[in-house]
Amino acid sequence: MPIVRLDEATVRRIAAGEVVERPASVVKELVENALDAGARTIRVEVVAGGRELIRVQDDGCGIPAEELPLAVERHATSKLRRFEDLARLASYGFRGEALAAISAVSDFEIASRPSEASHGGRLRVRFGKSGRIEPVGMPVGTIVTVRDLFANVPARRRFLRQDATETAYIHRVLAALALARPDVRVELVVDRRTVLTTPGSGRLVDALAGVYGAETAAKIVPLEPTNSGDVVVHGAIGLPVVARANRQALFVLVNGRWIESRTLVAAIEQAYHTLLMVGRYPIGVVAVSLPPDRVDVNVHPTKREVRFADERVVAAAVHEAVRRTLLCHLPTQPPPAVTFNPLEQPVVQRRLLVADPSRVPVPAPLPSSPTANSREASAGASPAEGRLPVLRVLGQVRQSYIIAEGPDGMYLIDQHAAHERILLEQLLEQLATRGVEQQRLLEPLVLELSPQQLEASERYAGDLRQLGWEVEPFGGASVAVRAVPRVVQRNIERVLTAVLDDLASGGRGTTPLECVAISTACHSAIRAGQELSLPEMRELIRQLEQCRAPNACGHGRPTVVHLSTEELERHFGRR
Ligand code: ADP
Ligand code: MG
């Protein structure tokens, strides 16, 4: 093929791919435009995960009608004139690409009215083709409406996840921007329901309450002010009790811009070292301010990443600020260890009185299949396939791994992964036969949820119920938990919120039902770092021996390491 210049429409569609990855990227660009326009109130509405509709309305400075066609052109911006301006840039946008990109891949409309105009102007651009400007009556500000996103880019559309997942991404964008700008009133409406609002009071505590819910926000503490050189760290971070099962509720801001930075997130997580259990992640907002010439914001098309002149200095300042804050707020005594005893009957918390004790059977032994025979399983085959042989427990290493001896060598078992596997198989077995065993709470447990958790609890109410969870709306952001799966013997709140977080982030498993099962098993299982008595370990191993697939936990991580007699002998030079 001879070389030709691509036509403008094709160039735009290709370029759109960089800026507009998914509905959440559209929301981010539009909200940033609203902030750049000096808006005091921003309302975002999405339908069907943003696929059907995204609408962003602001009360900012507006755009004169005659400039609307320029606003949707590539490399047209009011925020930057020369490359040198970039270093001192105070606005979110500067590339002049967002509206061009979005309007190339959607049925797009922008309506805008500057304060000095008596009415607004409206311009529709359908998949890159502009219409003409029409007058429209509207309040001062701008309304951008995006319909049928990616309808002309089937590859991109196919790549989108379930509505709930896309909505969760959008929620995260709004949460980040609301925390970055407590002075702006932010509202997010998902499928006609308001799921996030902040009052725009200018106080971070109010924005935190809007984003996380009042109850969680009460456990998010302001960072001890830290000043190392010209790097200033501020914000607020959650105490370990409000940690989550994923990293979605932690936000990092650099000079007011929300960014993704693995280094800074790692610095924050390290500051929680030994304070959080494995698999739990901090929440909150950590804001770094430094002179604009010490950070390059122009390294990523969506401005999601930045480059620091000296990243280590920034990371150290962040670590120091978070660590100092945590130490100020934590009791000096370590929390009492939770005891676990699989030999006992279910440990029933005081408020978790069982309504009908006859409905709480002793754990039913799993049906044994012919391959359960221990010799058979151990004969030659590596434990990667099939069942475990009968094992003799020798002891515990690092309060995390159980050492045992089998007919062919030594076994090292991850106690958390193993217990998770046991609980998962119990749940799946019950699900497939007589239904998941439930424990009714005598008194419902009322919990306050985050908007994402609340949405997950409603959307997947059927899946949750099948797995034994009975969770009902209880007004506002609250739910009432009336029954729990019997495998959940303690920490109901922590387990349920973790399950909902997993559901909301489209986490584990291939179906929501599977996600609930895996997540319930994972978060109810004993943890690493917990000391177990010999009888407890024996019981755990006995139950693991009964498992159909004892060698991996619900996430596919291995539960067992096997060193065969032959390997041991070879290792010690006996062969
Ligand atoms: P950028 O934000 O990088 O300048 P965009 O394509 O996002 O590029 O927007 C192009 C221009 O349109 C902006 O520079 C701004 O002048 C104008 N604009 C976009 N959205 C708004 C808005 N909500 N209110 C006022 N002006 C806007
Ligand atoms: Mg922009």
Side-chain angles (χ1 to χ4, degrees), residues 109-152:
E109 187 185 272
I110 182 163
S112 197
R113 179 184 152 197
S115 58
E116 60 282 3
S118 59
H119 60 272
R122 182 168 65 186
L123 177 67
R124 186 162 175 198
V125 184
R126 304 194 57 199
F127 303 101
K129 293 205 180 54
S130 287
R132 49 179 98 239
I133 304 164
E134 292 165 13
V136 59
M138 62 177 291
V140 170
T142 303
I143 306 173
V144 175
T145 309
V146 175
R147 289 198 166 84
D148 292 335
L149 184 65
F150 298 137
N152 62 337

mmCIF file of all heavy atoms in Angstrom, residues 109-152:
data_model
loop_
_atom_site.group_PDB
_atom_site.id
_atom_site.type_symbol
_atom_site.label_atom_id
_atom_site.label_comp_id
_atom_site.label_asym_id
_atom_site.label_seq_id
_atom_site.Cartn_x
_atom_site.Cartn_y
_atom_site.Cartn_z
ATOM 1 N N GLU A 109 -23.374 15.297 22.899
ATOM 2 C CA GLU A 109 -23.980 16.621 22.815
ATOM 3 C C GLU A 109 -23.400 17.508 23.900
ATOM 4 O O GLU A 109 -23.258 17.088 25.048
ATOM 5 C CB GLU A 109 -25.493 16.520 23.003
ATOM 6 C CG GLU A 109 -26.174 17.855 22.745
ATOM 7 C CD GLU A 109 -27.667 17.780 23.055
ATOM 8 O OE1 GLU A 109 -28.427 17.411 22.143
ATOM 9 O OE2 GLU A 109 -28.036 18.056 24.198
ATOM 10 N N ILE A 110 -23.042 18.732 23.530
ATOM 11 C CA ILE A 110 -22.582 19.684 24.534
ATOM 12 C C ILE A 110 -23.493 20.906 24.466
ATOM 13 O O ILE A 110 -23.774 21.435 23.390
ATOM 14 C CB ILE A 110 -21.092 20.059 24.344
ATOM 15 C CG1 ILE A 110 -20.645 21.029 25.451
ATOM 16 C CG2 ILE A 110 -20.792 20.640 22.962
ATOM 17 C CD1 ILE A 110 -19.137 21.137 25.595
ATOM 18 N N ALA A 111 -24.028 21.288 25.621
ATOM 19 C CA ALA A 111 -24.857 22.493 25.711
ATOM 20 C C ALA A 111 -24.196 23.376 26.754
ATOM 21 O O ALA A 111 -23.789 22.890 27.807
ATOM 22 C CB ALA A 111 -26.274 22.133 26.138
ATOM 23 N N SER A 112 -24.048 24.657 26.447
ATOM 24 C CA SER A 112 -23.297 25.493 27.362
ATOM 25 C C SER A 112 -23.785 26.933 27.328
ATOM 26 O O SER A 112 -24.208 27.435 26.286
ATOM 27 C CB SER A 112 -21.806 25.438 26.992
ATOM 28 O OG SER A 112 -21.026 25.914 28.057
ATOM 29 N N ARG A 113 -23.751 27.563 28.515
ATOM 30 C CA ARG A 113 -24.151 28.965 28.574
ATOM 31 C C ARG A 113 -23.208 29.732 29.506
ATOM 32 O O ARG A 113 -23.164 29.462 30.699
ATOM 33 C CB ARG A 113 -25.587 29.066 29.103
ATOM 34 C CG ARG A 113 -26.048 30.503 29.216
ATOM 35 C CD ARG A 113 -27.425 30.590 29.833
ATOM 36 N NE ARG A 113 -27.554 31.868 30.521
ATOM 37 C CZ ARG A 113 -28.481 32.144 31.417
ATOM 38 N NH1 ARG A 113 -29.390 31.224 31.745
ATOM 39 N NH2 ARG A 113 -28.516 33.318 31.992
ATOM 40 N N PRO A 114 -22.454 30.677 28.950
ATOM 41 C CA PRO A 114 -21.620 31.534 29.802
ATOM 42 C C PRO A 114 -22.515 32.487 30.581
ATOM 43 O O PRO A 114 -23.651 32.747 30.158
ATOM 44 C CB PRO A 114 -20.751 32.313 28.809
ATOM 45 C CG PRO A 114 -20.999 31.708 27.470
ATOM 46 C CD PRO A 114 -22.319 31.008 27.528
ATOM 47 N N SER A 115 -22.021 33.025 31.689
ATOM 48 C CA SER A 115 -22.893 33.833 32.557
ATOM 49 C C SER A 115 -23.397 35.094 31.849
ATOM 50 O O SER A 115 -24.500 35.551 32.124
ATOM 51 C CB SER A 115 -22.154 34.200 33.842
ATOM 52 O OG SER A 115 -20.985 34.902 33.513
ATOM 53 N N GLU A 116 -22.610 35.621 30.906
ATOM 54 C CA GLU A 116 -23.030 36.867 30.267
ATOM 55 C C GLU A 116 -24.074 36.636 29.166
ATOM 56 O O GLU A 116 -24.704 37.589 28.698
ATOM 57 C CB GLU A 116 -21.831 37.663 29.730
ATOM 58 C CG GLU A 116 -20.961 36.970 28.688
ATOM 59 C CD GLU A 116 -19.975 35.940 29.265
ATOM 60 O OE1 GLU A 116 -19.990 35.700 30.501
ATOM 61 O OE2 GLU A 116 -19.226 35.353 28.478
ATOM 62 N N ALA A 117 -24.300 35.372 28.782
ATOM 63 C CA ALA A 117 -25.253 35.111 27.699
ATOM 64 C C ALA A 117 -26.667 34.922 28.266
ATOM 65 O O ALA A 117 -26.837 34.463 29.388
ATOM 66 C CB ALA A 117 -24.840 33.855 26.938
ATOM 67 N N SER A 118 -27.660 35.275 27.431
ATOM 68 C CA SER A 118 -29.041 35.168 27.897
ATOM 69 C C SER A 118 -29.565 33.749 27.707
ATOM 70 O O SER A 118 -30.529 33.333 28.331
ATOM 71 C CB SER A 118 -29.922 36.141 27.126
ATOM 72 O OG SER A 118 -29.826 35.828 25.747
ATOM 73 N N HIS A 119 -28.931 33.016 26.825
ATOM 74 C CA HIS A 119 -29.300 31.611 26.648
ATOM 75 C C HIS A 119 -28.071 30.830 26.206
ATOM 76 O O HIS A 119 -27.010 31.424 25.966
ATOM 77 C CB HIS A 119 -30.437 31.468 25.633
ATOM 78 C CG HIS A 119 -30.075 32.008 24.283
ATOM 79 N ND1 HIS A 119 -30.268 33.322 23.947
ATOM 80 C CD2 HIS A 119 -29.512 31.416 23.216
ATOM 81 C CE1 HIS A 119 -29.829 33.517 22.707
ATOM 82 N NE2 HIS A 119 -29.367 32.378 22.241
ATOM 83 N N GLY A 120 -28.232 29.529 26.095
ATOM 84 C CA GLY A 120 -27.081 28.706 25.766
ATOM 85 C C GLY A 120 -27.047 28.294 24.301
ATOM 86 O O GLY A 120 -27.972 28.586 23.541
ATOM 87 N N GLY A 121 -25.955 27.607 23.930
ATOM 88 C CA GLY A 121 -25.846 27.032 22.587
ATOM 89 C C GLY A 121 -25.660 25.532 22.728
ATOM 90 O O GLY A 121 -25.162 25.051 23.755
ATOM 91 N N ARG A 122 -26.103 24.828 21.689
ATOM 92 C CA ARG A 122 -26.047 23.366 21.782
ATOM 93 C C ARG A 122 -25.442 22.814 20.505
ATOM 94 O O ARG A 122 -25.783 23.279 19.414
ATOM 95 C CB ARG A 122 -27.461 22.843 21.958
ATOM 96 C CG ARG A 122 -27.526 21.351 22.108
ATOM 97 C CD ARG A 122 -28.878 20.920 22.551
ATOM 98 N NE ARG A 122 -29.901 21.212 21.551
ATOM 99 C CZ ARG A 122 -31.192 21.033 21.750
ATOM 100 N NH1 ARG A 122 -31.638 20.615 22.928
ATOM 101 N NH2 ARG A 122 -32.060 21.294 20.793
ATOM 102 N N LEU A 123 -24.553 21.850 20.656
ATOM 103 C CA LEU A 123 -23.927 21.238 19.470
ATOM 104 C C LEU A 123 -23.950 19.721 19.642
ATOM 105 O O LEU A 123 -23.520 19.201 20.669
ATOM 106 C CB LEU A 123 -22.474 21.717 19.345
ATOM 107 C CG LEU A 123 -21.678 21.089 18.189
ATOM 108 C CD1 LEU A 123 -22.231 21.524 16.840
ATOM 109 C CD2 LEU A 123 -20.196 21.455 18.305
ATOM 110 N N ARG A 124 -24.463 19.042 18.607
ATOM 111 C CA ARG A 124 -24.468 17.584 18.673
ATOM 112 C C ARG A 124 -23.408 17.045 17.721
ATOM 113 O O ARG A 124 -23.279 17.532 16.596
ATOM 114 C CB ARG A 124 -25.849 17.074 18.270
ATOM 115 C CG ARG A 124 -25.984 15.579 18.460
ATOM 116 C CD ARG A 124 -27.431 15.186 18.481
ATOM 117 N NE ARG A 124 -27.564 13.727 18.539
ATOM 118 C CZ ARG A 124 -28.682 13.092 18.229
ATOM 119 N NH1 ARG A 124 -29.752 13.772 17.851
ATOM 120 N NH2 ARG A 124 -28.740 11.776 18.314
ATOM 121 N N VAL A 125 -22.657 16.066 18.176
ATOM 122 C CA VAL A 125 -21.664 15.414 17.325
ATOM 123 C C VAL A 125 -21.931 13.915 17.399
ATOM 124 O O VAL A 125 -21.763 13.296 18.448
ATOM 125 C CB VAL A 125 -20.221 15.703 17.802
ATOM 126 C CG1 VAL A 125 -19.216 15.094 16.820
ATOM 127 C CG2 VAL A 125 -19.984 17.185 17.971
ATOM 128 N N ARG A 126 -22.373 13.345 16.277
ATOM 129 C CA ARG A 126 -22.687 11.916 16.313
ATOM 130 C C ARG A 126 -21.535 11.139 15.714
ATOM 131 O O ARG A 126 -21.283 11.225 14.513
ATOM 132 C CB ARG A 126 -23.973 11.646 15.533
ATOM 133 C CG ARG A 126 -25.140 12.480 16.063
ATOM 134 C CD ARG A 126 -26.447 11.962 15.524
ATOM 135 N NE ARG A 126 -26.603 10.555 15.867
ATOM 136 C CZ ARG A 126 -27.439 9.738 15.259
ATOM 137 N NH1 ARG A 126 -28.193 10.180 14.264
ATOM 138 N NH2 ARG A 126 -27.532 8.479 15.640
ATOM 139 N N PHE A 127 -20.807 10.434 16.557
ATOM 140 C CA PHE A 127 -19.688 9.604 16.122
ATOM 141 C C PHE A 127 -18.770 10.368 15.174
ATOM 142 O O PHE A 127 -18.444 9.913 14.086
ATOM 143 C CB PHE A 127 -20.208 8.306 15.502
ATOM 144 C CG PHE A 127 -21.086 7.556 16.465
ATOM 145 C CD1 PHE A 127 -22.473 7.603 16.357
ATOM 146 C CD2 PHE A 127 -20.508 6.859 17.519
ATOM 147 C CE1 PHE A 127 -23.268 6.941 17.282
ATOM 148 C CE2 PHE A 127 -21.306 6.195 18.445
ATOM 149 C CZ PHE A 127 -22.689 6.235 18.321
ATOM 150 N N GLY A 128 -18.386 11.558 15.609
ATOM 151 C CA GLY A 128 -17.405 12.354 14.864
ATOM 152 C C GLY A 128 -18.009 13.330 13.874
ATOM 153 O O GLY A 128 -17.300 14.180 13.337
ATOM 154 N N LYS A 129 -19.314 13.217 13.589
ATOM 155 C CA LYS A 129 -19.916 14.130 12.603
ATOM 156 C C LYS A 129 -20.688 15.239 13.318
ATOM 157 O O LYS A 129 -21.701 14.983 13.959
ATOM 158 C CB LYS A 129 -20.873 13.362 11.687
ATOM 159 C CG LYS A 129 -20.158 12.371 10.799
ATOM 160 C CD LYS A 129 -20.975 12.096 9.530
ATOM 161 C CE LYS A 129 -20.256 11.091 8.639
ATOM 162 N NZ LYS A 129 -19.888 9.828 9.334
ATOM 163 N N SER A 130 -20.202 16.471 13.152
ATOM 164 C CA SER A 130 -20.809 17.605 13.844
ATOM 165 C C SER A 130 -22.094 18.058 13.175
ATOM 166 O O SER A 130 -22.178 18.102 11.949
ATOM 167 C CB SER A 130 -19.853 18.795 13.846
ATOM 168 O OG SER A 130 -18.814 18.557 14.737
ATOM 169 N N GLY A 131 -23.066 18.429 13.983
ATOM 170 C CA GLY A 131 -24.269 19.079 13.463
ATOM 171 C C GLY A 131 -24.069 20.583 13.496
ATOM 172 O O GLY A 131 -22.932 21.064 13.511
ATOM 173 N N ARG A 132 -25.182 21.355 13.537
ATOM 174 C CA ARG A 132 -24.992 22.804 13.645
ATOM 175 C C ARG A 132 -25.368 23.297 15.034
ATOM 176 O O ARG A 132 -26.051 22.597 15.783
ATOM 177 C CB ARG A 132 -25.749 23.547 12.546
ATOM 178 C CG ARG A 132 -27.203 23.132 12.395
ATOM 179 C CD ARG A 132 -27.884 23.937 11.317
ATOM 180 N NE ARG A 132 -27.938 23.233 10.035
ATOM 181 C CZ ARG A 132 -27.409 23.705 8.911
ATOM 182 N NH1 ARG A 132 -26.780 24.850 8.885
ATOM 183 N NH2 ARG A 132 -27.519 23.037 7.787
ATOM 184 N N ILE A 133 -24.916 24.510 15.346
ATOM 185 C CA ILE A 133 -25.167 25.053 16.677
ATOM 186 C C ILE A 133 -26.601 25.547 16.764
ATOM 187 O O ILE A 133 -27.063 26.261 15.869
ATOM 188 C CB ILE A 133 -24.212 26.223 16.964
ATOM 189 C CG1 ILE A 133 -22.771 25.747 16.789
ATOM 190 C CG2 ILE A 133 -24.431 26.783 18.354
ATOM 191 C CD1 ILE A 133 -21.787 26.870 16.681
ATOM 192 N N GLU A 134 -27.292 25.172 17.835
ATOM 193 C CA GLU A 134 -28.668 25.630 18.021
ATOM 194 C C GLU A 134 -28.779 26.352 19.347
ATOM 195 O O GLU A 134 -28.103 25.987 20.305
ATOM 196 C CB GLU A 134 -29.615 24.426 18.059
ATOM 197 C CG GLU A 134 -29.740 23.709 16.741
ATOM 198 C CD GLU A 134 -30.386 22.342 16.921
ATOM 199 O OE1 GLU A 134 -30.947 22.079 18.008
ATOM 200 O OE2 GLU A 134 -30.314 21.544 15.983
ATOM 201 N N PRO A 135 -29.647 27.344 19.430
ATOM 202 C CA PRO A 135 -29.851 28.018 20.713
ATOM 203 C C PRO A 135 -30.658 27.116 21.668
ATOM 204 O O PRO A 135 -31.464 26.299 21.200
ATOM 205 C CB PRO A 135 -30.658 29.259 20.345
ATOM 206 C CG PRO A 135 -31.325 28.920 19.055
ATOM 207 C CD PRO A 135 -30.475 27.921 18.350
ATOM 208 N N VAL A 136 -30.410 27.257 22.950
ATOM 209 C CA VAL A 136 -31.145 26.444 23.915
ATOM 210 C C VAL A 136 -31.261 27.204 25.240
ATOM 211 O O VAL A 136 -30.336 27.906 25.649
ATOM 212 C CB VAL A 136 -30.444 25.068 24.116
ATOM 213 C CG1 VAL A 136 -29.027 25.262 24.594
ATOM 214 C CG2 VAL A 136 -31.206 24.191 25.083
ATOM 215 N N GLY A 137 -32.435 27.083 25.872
ATOM 216 C CA GLY A 137 -32.626 27.707 27.182
ATOM 217 C C GLY A 137 -32.038 26.800 28.250
ATOM 218 O O GLY A 137 -32.327 25.607 28.266
ATOM 219 N N MET A 138 -31.191 27.347 29.111
ATOM 220 C CA MET A 138 -30.568 26.515 30.149
ATOM 221 C C MET A 138 -29.916 27.409 31.195
ATOM 222 O O MET A 138 -29.672 28.575 30.959
ATOM 223 C CB MET A 138 -29.513 25.595 29.520
ATOM 224 C CG MET A 138 -28.359 26.355 28.858
ATOM 225 S SD MET A 138 -27.090 25.261 28.190
ATOM 226 C CE MET A 138 -26.379 24.595 29.677
ATOM 227 N N PRO A 139 -29.645 26.838 32.391
ATOM 228 C CA PRO A 139 -28.937 27.624 33.398
ATOM 229 C C PRO A 139 -27.476 27.846 32.983
ATOM 230 O O PRO A 139 -26.973 27.144 32.103
ATOM 231 C CB PRO A 139 -29.010 26.750 34.658
ATOM 232 C CG PRO A 139 -29.301 25.375 34.181
ATOM 233 C CD PRO A 139 -30.023 25.500 32.878
ATOM 234 N N VAL A 140 -26.807 28.783 33.628
ATOM 235 C CA VAL A 140 -25.400 29.042 33.334
ATOM 236 C C VAL A 140 -24.585 27.793 33.656
ATOM 237 O O VAL A 140 -24.807 27.138 34.666
ATOM 238 C CB VAL A 140 -24.896 30.238 34.177
ATOM 239 C CG1 VAL A 140 -23.376 30.361 34.068
ATOM 240 C CG2 VAL A 140 -25.570 31.519 33.717
ATOM 241 N N GLY A 141 -23.651 27.464 32.761
ATOM 242 C CA GLY A 141 -22.822 26.279 32.965
ATOM 243 C C GLY A 141 -22.827 25.409 31.723
ATOM 244 O O GLY A 141 -23.159 25.882 30.634
ATOM 245 N N THR A 142 -22.463 24.155 31.917
ATOM 246 C CA THR A 142 -22.312 23.258 30.769
ATOM 247 C C THR A 142 -22.945 21.903 31.079
ATOM 248 O O THR A 142 -22.843 21.415 32.204
ATOM 249 C CB THR A 142 -20.806 23.055 30.459
ATOM 250 O OG1 THR A 142 -20.231 24.342 30.222
ATOM 251 C CG2 THR A 142 -20.597 22.177 29.245
ATOM 252 N N ILE A 143 -23.611 21.344 30.076
ATOM 253 C CA ILE A 143 -24.147 19.980 30.212
ATOM 254 C C ILE A 143 -23.619 19.153 29.049
ATOM 255 O O ILE A 143 -23.875 19.482 27.894
ATOM 256 C CB ILE A 143 -25.691 19.971 30.143
ATOM 257 C CG1 ILE A 143 -26.288 20.947 31.165
ATOM 258 C CG2 ILE A 143 -26.221 18.554 30.369
ATOM 259 C CD1 ILE A 143 -27.792 21.115 31.030
ATOM 260 N N VAL A 144 -22.869 18.131 29.349
ATOM 261 C CA VAL A 144 -22.379 17.247 28.295
ATOM 262 C C VAL A 144 -23.114 15.915 28.423
ATOM 263 O O VAL A 144 -23.200 15.345 29.512
ATOM 264 C CB VAL A 144 -20.851 17.027 28.406
ATOM 265 C CG1 VAL A 144 -20.389 16.009 27.375
ATOM 266 C CG2 VAL A 144 -20.120 18.342 28.231
ATOM 267 N N THR A 145 -23.662 15.448 27.310
ATOM 268 C CA THR A 145 -24.399 14.187 27.325
ATOM 269 C C THR A 145 -23.745 13.223 26.337
ATOM 270 O O THR A 145 -23.535 13.581 25.180
ATOM 271 C CB THR A 145 -25.864 14.416 26.914
ATOM 272 O OG1 THR A 145 -26.378 15.475 27.712
ATOM 273 C CG2 THR A 145 -26.696 13.166 27.136
ATOM 274 N N VAL A 146 -23.417 12.035 26.819
ATOM 275 C CA VAL A 146 -22.742 11.035 25.986
ATOM 276 C C VAL A 146 -23.620 9.794 25.948
ATOM 277 O O VAL A 146 -23.881 9.183 26.982
ATOM 278 C CB VAL A 146 -21.357 10.697 26.590
ATOM 279 C CG1 VAL A 146 -20.689 9.569 25.809
ATOM 280 C CG2 VAL A 146 -20.475 11.930 26.625
ATOM 281 N N ARG A 147 -24.065 9.454 24.747
ATOM 282 C CA ARG A 147 -24.912 8.252 24.625
ATOM 283 C C ARG A 147 -24.223 7.223 23.749
ATOM 284 O O ARG A 147 -23.450 7.578 22.862
ATOM 285 C CB ARG A 147 -26.248 8.628 23.965
ATOM 286 C CG ARG A 147 -27.153 9.441 24.858
ATOM 287 C CD ARG A 147 -28.600 9.386 24.329
ATOM 288 N NE ARG A 147 -29.513 9.874 25.349
ATOM 289 C CZ ARG A 147 -29.780 11.162 25.538
ATOM 290 N NH1 ARG A 147 -29.222 12.080 24.774
ATOM 291 N NH2 ARG A 147 -30.606 11.532 26.508
ATOM 292 N N ASP A 148 -24.573 5.959 23.977
ATOM 293 C CA ASP A 148 -24.091 4.855 23.123
ATOM 294 C C ASP A 148 -22.582 4.867 22.936
ATOM 295 O O ASP A 148 -22.081 4.747 21.808
ATOM 296 C CB ASP A 148 -24.766 4.925 21.738
ATOM 297 C CG ASP A 148 -26.237 4.632 21.832
ATOM 298 O OD1 ASP A 148 -26.619 3.944 22.791
ATOM 299 O OD2 ASP A 148 -26.996 5.095 20.967
ATOM 300 N N LEU A 149 -21.879 4.983 24.030
ATOM 301 C CA LEU A 149 -20.426 5.028 23.978
ATOM 302 C C LEU A 149 -19.854 3.790 23.280
ATOM 303 O O LEU A 149 -20.278 2.675 23.569
ATOM 304 C CB LEU A 149 -19.872 5.135 25.402
ATOM 305 C CG LEU A 149 -18.361 5.282 25.542
ATOM 306 C CD1 LEU A 149 -17.893 6.594 24.943
ATOM 307 C CD2 LEU A 149 -17.974 5.186 27.008
ATOM 308 N N PHE A 150 -18.920 4.005 22.377
ATOM 309 C CA PHE A 150 -18.217 2.939 21.653
ATOM 310 C C PHE A 150 -19.120 2.152 20.701
ATOM 311 O O PHE A 150 -18.731 1.070 20.267
ATOM 312 C CB PHE A 150 -17.556 1.932 22.615
ATOM 313 C CG PHE A 150 -16.506 2.526 23.504
ATOM 314 C CD1 PHE A 150 -16.446 2.177 24.847
ATOM 315 C CD2 PHE A 150 -15.579 3.425 23.009
ATOM 316 C CE1 PHE A 150 -15.476 2.714 25.683
ATOM 317 C CE2 PHE A 150 -14.610 3.967 23.836
ATOM 318 C CZ PHE A 150 -14.562 3.606 25.164
ATOM 319 N N ALA A 151 -20.305 2.683 20.372
ATOM 320 C CA ALA A 151 -21.183 1.929 19.465
ATOM 321 C C ALA A 151 -20.480 1.713 18.129
ATOM 322 O O ALA A 151 -20.762 0.743 17.427
ATOM 323 C CB ALA A 151 -22.500 2.668 19.268
ATOM 324 N N ASN A 152 -19.548 2.617 17.759
ATOM 325 C CA ASN A 152 -18.831 2.449 16.485
ATOM 326 C C ASN A 152 -17.436 1.837 16.668
ATOM 327 O O ASN A 152 -16.635 1.837 15.749
ATOM 328 C CB ASN A 152 -18.715 3.794 15.756
ATOM 329 C CG ASN A 152 -17.918 4.820 16.570
ATOM 330 O OD1 ASN A 152 -17.817 4.703 17.789
ATOM 331 N ND2 ASN A 152 -17.356 5.804 15.897
#
